[in-house]
Amino acid sequence: MHRALITGGTAGIGAAFARAFAGRGTSLVLVARDPDRLEDSAAQLRREFGVDVETIAADLSDRAAQQRVADRLESSAAPVDVLVNNAGFSVKASLLDEDLDQHDLGFEVMIRAVLKLGGAAGRSMRERGQGWIINVGSVSALVTQNNYSAIKAWVGNYSESLGVQLAGTGVQVTALMPGWVRTEFHSRAGIKGSSIPGVLWLEADRLVEDCLRDVARGKPVSIPSTRWRLISAVLRATPRGLVARLSALLSHRRNREK
C-alpha cells in the first residue's frame, strides 16, 4: 500500500496507525483538528521514517470539512490506498439530556463522517480494484451503556455492510473493535480507569499491528488480543438482560471515577 489517510492521526490509535504505516514506507495523509499538532506530528514522522506526509486540518464535525477530506479521497492525483476512519471521542451526555449538542457532535464525527469518507474511499478504490478501509469501532458496541456504545455499534454494522457492497472489487473493509487502550482518550473524557484491571489494557502500537495482520488476512472484524476476543464472544452469547445489568454496573463504576 502506497498511501494511507488517517483521521485523528496525531494521537492515540490514529498516531499508532501513522507510525505503523510509515514504518512500512507508506506515504501518509494525516487529518486532525489542531494545525500545530498536525504539523509537529508530520515533521516527526518525516524525520523518523523518511516518508512523505501530507496534512489536512479539518474538524470532522463540520460538513464542509468532511467534504474536503472526501474530495481528497476521490482525487486521482496521489491516490489513497488505505483509509483509517479513526477520529472520535467519548460522548458523555445522558440519553435523557434535553441538550443534544454532544450527541450531534458524536453523530457528525463518528457516524456521518465515517459514512461520507467510507463512501468516497470505496468508490475511488473500487475503480482501481484495490484498497483497505479500516473503521475504528469498539468492544463497547457490545454493551448498552450510552450513546457512544450505540454509535460504535453502528460503526461495526456499517463496516460489515460496506464490506458486503464492495465484495469482489478488491477493496477490503475491516471494523477494528478494541477494548481499553492506553491512550489519552480516557483522560480527555475524564475517565481515570483506576478500577479497570491492568491485564485488560492494550498498547496502541501492538493493537494496530494485530489489526493490520487481520486486515491482510481479509477479516471483516478485528478484535486484537485473545482476552478481548474471549470477552467479545462471551458478550455476544450473553442474554441481553444480563448485558443490560453488566452495562449498568460499568456505568456506575465509571461515574464513581469522575
Side-chain angles (χ1 to χ4, degrees):
M1 296 297 175
H2 302 295
R3 183 171 285 98
L5 186 149
I6 305 166
T7 68
T10 60
I13 294 174
F17 268 111
R19 290 190 295 271
F21 280 117
R24 290 164 167 80
T26 302
S27 298
L28 300 172
V29 183
L30 298 184
V31 179
R33 290 183 302 170
D34 186 333
D36 293 334
R37 188 170 187 178
L38 197 55
E39 291 305 325
D40 287 346
S41 297
Q44 183 174 347
L45 289 163
R46 294 183 191 112
R47 186 167 55 249
E48 184 173 351
F49 298 101
V51 297
D52 179 63
V53 185
E54 177 184 344
T55 62
I56 302 176
D59 182 347
L60 292 179
S61 67
D62 178 76
R63 294 193 177 186
Q66 293 176 17
Q67 186 64 55
R68 284 195 291 112
V69 180
D71 290 343
R72 177 62 185 88
L73 285 164
E74 295 202 72
S75 172
S76 58
V80 171
D81 306 285
V82 184
L83 165 64
V84 182
N85 263 321
N86 165 74
F89 54 90
S90 177
V91 179
K92 297 181 290 183
S94 167
L95 295 171
L96 300 176
D97 285 355
E98 185 176 356
D99 184 350
L100 298 181
D101 285 352
Q102 279 197 46
H103 298 294
D104 286 338
L105 285 173
F107 292 144
E108 287 293 335
V109 175
M110 293 181 282
I111 292 183
R112 192 181 190 279
V114 170
L115 176 65
K116 180 77 173 177
L117 303 188
R123 290 188 296 274
S124 181
M125 293 173 185
R126 180 180 59 189
E127 288 184 5
R128 299 194 302 275
Q130 64 177 359
W132 289 355
I133 297 174
I134 302 169
N135 297 314
V136 179
S138 173
V139 168
S140 69
L142 302 178
V143 295
T144 53
Q145 287 181 268
N146 48 37
N147 202 17
Y148 182 79
S149 300
I151 286 171
K152 291 304 184 180
W154 180 90
V155 170
N157 193 297
Y158 161 76
S159 294
E160 293 190 70
S161 299
L162 183 61
V164 168
Q165 293 196 13
L166 288 169
T169 67
V171 183
Q172 168 67 30
V173 183
T174 299
L176 169 59
M177 295 179 60
W180 284 302
V181 187
R182 293 192 187 280
T183 69
E184 61 190 65
F185 175 92
H186 292 88
S187 60
R188 282 182 173 180
I191 301 167
K192 298 178 182 178
S194 57
S195 64
I196 301 170
V199 71
L200 293 181
W201 287 100
L202 302 173
E203 298 297 330
D205 291 315
R206 174 62 186 276
L207 176 146
V208 165
E209 290 299 328
D210 287 351
C211 175
L212 293 180
R213 188 160 48 247
D214 286 342
V215 172
R217 292 170 178 168
K219 291 188 176 182
V221 178
S222 174
I223 306 176
S225 86
T226 300
R227 55 192 179 275
W228 279 106
R229 283 193 293 274
L230 178 59
I231 291 169
S232 298
V234 169
L235 286 171
R236 290 185 191 277
T238 299
R240 299 306 293 172
L242 290 180
V243 170
R245 292 185 186 181
L246 174 62
S247 300
L249 178 62
L250 290 171
S251 295
H252 177 67
R253 287 186 174 179
R254 177 169 292 184
N255 289 335
R256 289 176 58 188
E257 288 185 351
K258 292 179 181 179

